[in-house]
Amino acid sequence: MPEIPAEQPYRGQRAALATQHGKARALAPPLLRRLGLIAYPVAVDTDQFGTFTGSISRTATAPQAALAKARAGMAASGLTLGLASEGSFGSHPWLPFGAGGVETLAFVDVQRGLELTVSAVSRRTNFAHHEVADGGDIAPFLARIGFPAHALVVKDPGGTLLATGLQNMDALSALAWPGNRLETDMRAHLNPTRMAAIRALAGRLAARLAAPCPACSSPGWGEVDLARGLPCSSCAQPTQWVVAIIDGCTVCDHRETRPRADAVTAASPASCDWCNP
Ligand SMILES: [Zn+2]
Ligand SMILES: [Zn+2]
């Protein structure tokens, strides 16, 4: 393990990781490497917050659900730090149009009054379903979704669950009757594509927690909003494009604005409501 700088506030501390789906394997390494923070898995019935197989409907937004899970893990373990992840896929009301999936991570530090969520929209997801046709070949679908490394859920024509977490060809063949529906099992430990996305997001959370607020020194300084209004290069009127990034602290509400990383200072007249209405 590399040396963790002594000023990292979470060095050697444990954070409750509310999980049923083996996400610790993806989440823990980036947090340990960067911060010395130990993700401590706690068994919590996270299905009370909604499941991927649709048996319980979701009521909160993804960040709210992830924060609630983190708090449930803290309550179950008595730890004052909590972590949780939440994923949503396909045509879901939380998702921007056309997105494949969104992963969200939440971090709670009760003593500092810190609550942080980070999210990543991904078009790269294996989320898909397939209705078995009479005499049809399911092999192309299986190849596309990465079976058997990625598991499947099988439902009958009425929508009743016949199997979850299927990764065995013989077991799948026995259920691949015409009319039955095959769906990708989106639980993280059965889905290497999700595990990779969660690992990358945990790296972003670690970087964020390693950055102190310039005003109050709390961990978690970073992007909280975008300022729009990049001026048109022809008429200088504001457009909908991002002009600056707003960094913030979730503990003291200090804000600072910095220019775009790509140093673009003007928008194309094609995106201007005045030049190109
Ligand atoms: Zn213009
Ligand atoms: Zn602050």
Side-chain angles (χ1 to χ4, degrees):
M1 196 177 106
E3 270 308 298
I4 307 297
E7 70 270 17
Q8 285 303 334
Y10 296 120
R11 194 169 171 236
Q13 294 193 38
R14 288 189 304 175
L17 172 59
T19 182
Q20 285 188 317
H21 299 149
K23 289 171 190 161
R25 205 152 35 90
L27 268 169
L31 296 166
L32 184 63
R33 260 197 317 271
R34 183 82 189 246
L35 305 169
L37 176 69
I38 299 155
Y40 180 73
V42 176
V44 169
D45 176 21
T46 51
D47 285 351
Q48 67 184 290
F49 305 105
T51 70
F52 295 117
T53 46
S55 52
I56 301 171
S57 69
R58 293 159 187 266
T59 51
T61 66
Q64 284 169 346
L67 285 167
K69 275 188 203 175
R71 285 192 214 97
M74 294 161 73
S77 63
L79 293 171
T80 60
L81 303 176
L83 273 168
S85 93
E86 179 67 45
S88 27
F89 308 93
S91 56
H92 193 285
W94 292 351
L95 299 186
F97 179 75
V102 172
E103 295 288 351
T104 299
L105 282 186
F107 179 79
V108 178
D109 175 344
V110 165
Q111 286 171 336
R112 286 189 174 85
L114 189 153
E115 282 189 356
L116 196 59
T117 58
V118 290
S119 297
V121 176
S122 151
R123 281 169 206 283
R124 191 175 168 277
T125 166
N126 76 325
F127 178 80
H129 59 82
H130 177 81
E131 201 160 295
V132 182
D134 207 355
D137 184 6
I138 62 170
F141 171 74
L142 298 183
R144 182 157 63 85
I145 64 122
F147 181 86
H150 294 74
L152 283 172
V153 169
V154 184
K155 293 178 181 170
D156 75 9
T160 303
L161 264 179
L162 301 178
T164 60
L166 260 187
Q167 289 183 291
N168 176 291
M169 193 62 210
D170 291 340
L172 174 61
S173 299
L175 292 170
W177 293 100
N180 281 356
R181 186 178 152 102
L182 313 180
E183 297 179 2
T184 44
D185 194 325
M186 298 310 289
R187 288 173 297 168
H189 69 301
L190 298 169
N191 197 302
T193 301
R194 273 201 73 198
M195 289 295 265
I198 292 171
R199 195 174 303 120
L201 195 57
R204 270 183 48 203
L205 177 65
R208 179 85 181 251
L209 289 173
C213 167
C216 77
S217 301
S218 293
W221 178 254
E223 180 182 319
V224 291
D225 207 353
L226 298 170
R228 298 188 184 273
L230 190 68
C232 167
S233 63
S234 171
C235 72
Q237 290 291 329
T239 67
Q240 279 308 300
W241 291 83
V242 172
V243 64
I245 290 124
I246 301 167
D247 289 328
C249 170
T250 63
V251 176
C252 77
D253 292 330
H254 180 65
R255 294 278 185 282
E256 286 182 12
T257 300
R258 67 183 149 96
R260 291 166 57 124
D262 59 11
V264 169
T265 56
S268 156
S271 62
C272 172
D273 286 343
W274 295 87
C275 299
N276 189 23

